[in-house]
């Protein structure tokens, strides 16, 4: 059991660090190729922040534990919407951009409902996955179109002045870290599930989802304290969209998945989170402290129910 916990902790470190290093290398290489920053931000950086969830889910599906794969996505979105937004809003009310309320939250809600409908037959086949992946391409294309119509001022802030060789080396090292970390994480989580007699779905919804969502939690709380919550909120919602469209889409194309342990309550919680967030944010384009407390309480009640049923 101790060794399995060590596997999970080491896996988290490798996955998160691997995603950072790979993203830095990809951004530097893109800048060397004179790709505009808005394109880099909407594609490479956005994809990079979802790499931990993607690789953990892919390895889970490939190793024959699809409940871990889908549970990771559903659980991460529940963590993002209820816990991350909730805790950050309690630290300081979270401002939300109008574009996030009008575009990103509705898209995240639609994606959540589509995933729920696809999973009603307890199966994600390649057609389902292809539809989700097509949605991802449409989402990226739409964002690029909007960004092109309203271009932001180019800035050298955060520019990575790496050589081509160093950039490629970073990408390779990052991918290696992602693969190694994902393997360790999945092996450790699966072993704990077996030894505790807990389903892989519950481990995916809790341990795996929590581990891959920790960076977003830390980032959002710090951003809220610094008064930069609008950007943090956009990143959280964008992460939810990528989690469903990219992770389930790519993973399902590689390996169709039979889902057994994830219930309609779990999928319903994912949808409910987006509905509540949309309702809260439509009032004053802000999530107040009491609304954050409501989100956090709902999350804690859900977690208590999930764990109590698993024991």
């Amino acid at each position: 059991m101790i060794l399995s916990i060590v596997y999970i902790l080491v896996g988290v470190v490798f996955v998160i660090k691997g995603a950072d290093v790979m993203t830095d290398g990809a951004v530097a290489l893109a800048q060397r190729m004179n790709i505009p920053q808005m394109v880099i931000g909407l594609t490479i950086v956005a994809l990079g922040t979802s790499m931990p969830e993607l690789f953990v889910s892919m390895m889970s599906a490939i190793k024959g534990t699809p409940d871990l794969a889908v549970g990771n996505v559903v659980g991460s979105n529940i963590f993002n919407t209820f816990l991350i937004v909730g805790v950050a809003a309690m630290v300081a009310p979270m401002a939300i951009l109008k574009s996030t309320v009008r575009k990103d939250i509705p898209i995240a809600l639609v994606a959540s409902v589509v995933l729920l409908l696809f999973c009603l037959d307890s199966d994600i086949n390649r057609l389902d996955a292809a539809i989700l992946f097509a949605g991802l391409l449409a989402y990226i294309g739409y964002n690029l179109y909007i960004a092109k119509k309203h271009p932001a001022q180019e800035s050298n802030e955060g520019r990575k002045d790496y050589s081509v060789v160093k950039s490629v080396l970073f990408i390779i090292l990052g991918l290696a870290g992602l693969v190694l970390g994902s393997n360790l994480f999945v092996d450790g989580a699966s072993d704990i599930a077996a030894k505790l007699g807990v389903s892989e779905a519950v481990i995916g919804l809790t341990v795996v989802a929590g581990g891959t969502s920790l960076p977003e939690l830390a980032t959002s709380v710090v951003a809220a304290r610094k008064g930069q919550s609008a950007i943090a909120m956009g990143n959280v919602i964008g992460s939810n969209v990528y989690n469903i469209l990219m992770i389930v889409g790519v993973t399902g194309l590689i390996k169709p998945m039979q889902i057994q342990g994830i219930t309609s309550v779990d999928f319903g919680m994912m949808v409910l989170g987006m509905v509540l967030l949309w309702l809260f944010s439509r009032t004053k384009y802000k999530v107040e402290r009491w609304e954050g407390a409501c989100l956090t309480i709902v999350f804690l009640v859900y977690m208590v129910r999930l764990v109590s049923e698993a024991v």
Side-chain angles (χ1 to χ4, degrees):
M1 181 71 77
I2 293 175
L3 184 60
S4 298
I5 294 171
V6 171
Y7 272 25
I8 287 176
L9 294 175
V10 173
V12 168
V13 172
F14 269 95
V15 164
I16 292 171
K17 190 62 183 174
D20 283 343
V21 170
M22 193 210 71
T23 302
D24 284 349
V27 168
L29 192 61
Q31 289 170 339
R32 285 276 174 188
M33 297 167 65
N34 292 320
I35 295 174
Q37 286 184 18
M38 70 171 185
V39 176
I40 295 170
L42 288 168
T43 55
I44 297 170
V45 175
L47 292 170
T49 57
S50 291
M51 280 296 165
E53 288 91 342
L54 174 62
F55 271 76
V56 168
S57 289
M58 276 201 307
M59 290 300 171
S60 299
I62 290 169
K63 291 189 172 192
T65 54
D67 278 352
L68 266 181
V70 180
N72 176 30
V73 170
V74 175
S76 290
N77 282 17
I78 290 171
F79 266 82
N80 286 349
T81 309
F82 286 101
L83 186 66
I84 293 176
V85 175
V87 171
M90 286 193 294
V91 171
M94 290 193 78
I96 305 177
L97 296 172
K98 288 185 178 181
S99 60
T100 301
V101 177
R102 294 174 180 173
K103 178 192 70 173
D104 296 312
I105 294 179
I107 290 173
L109 177 56
V110 169
S112 300
V113 172
V114 169
L115 180 60
L116 167 62
L117 295 175
F118 281 171
C119 292
L120 288 176
D121 60 355
S122 300
D123 176 67
I124 294 287
N125 56 44
R126 284 198 168 93
L127 176 60
D128 296 336
I131 292 171
L132 292 173
F133 189 71
L136 171 70
L137 297 180
Y139 180 66
I140 292 174
Y142 175 72
N143 277 324
L144 290 174
Y145 170 75
I146 294 298
K148 194 172 182 179
K149 282 187 66 177
H150 307 283
Q153 188 70 32
E154 290 282 317
S155 168
N156 289 322
E157 185 180 350
R159 188 176 181 86
K160 310 289 184 184
D161 288 320
Y162 301 157
S163 66
V164 172
V165 173
K166 186 176 180 180
S167 299
V168 172
L169 183 62
F170 268 42
I171 293 172
I172 294 171
L173 287 174
L175 284 171
L178 282 164
V179 173
L180 175 60
S182 300
N183 270 299
L184 290 171
F185 198 108
V186 172
D187 286 346
S190 300
D191 191 53
I192 288 176
K195 286 178 179 175
L196 292 178
V198 177
S199 71
E200 287 162 356
V202 172
I203 294 294
L205 288 163
T206 55
V207 177
V208 179
T212 55
S213 294
L214 282 177
E216 286 95 339
L217 175 59
T219 301
S220 295
V221 170
V222 170
R225 289 187 63 184
K226 291 183 176 180
Q228 300 170 338
S229 57
I231 295 173
M233 179 70 81
N235 288 341
V236 166
I237 303 305
S239 176
N240 282 12
V241 176
Y242 273 92
N243 282 351
I244 295 172
L245 300 182
M246 180 179 75
I247 296 172
V248 181
V250 171
T251 303
L253 284 171
I254 295 172
K255 177 89 172 178
M257 295 173 283
Q258 292 287 331
I259 304 155
Q260 302 298 330
I262 303 171
T263 68
S264 57
V265 173
D266 303 317
F267 286 109
M269 279 293 295
M270 178 179 66
V271 174
L272 175 64
M274 294 311 308
V275 171
L276 288 176
L277 187 55
W278 194 38
L279 292 175
F280 288 161
S281 60
R282 281 177 62 85
T283 50
K284 299 177 182 177
Y285 294 103
K286 185 181 290 186
V287 178
E288 303 287 356
R289 281 191 172 93
W290 72 268
E291 293 170 328
C294 288
L295 292 172
T296 306
I297 290 168
V298 172
F299 173 81
L300 293 175
V301 170
Y302 167 70
M303 278 292 131
V304 168
R305 175 190 174 279
L306 196 64
V307 174
S308 63
E309 287 186 351
V311 176

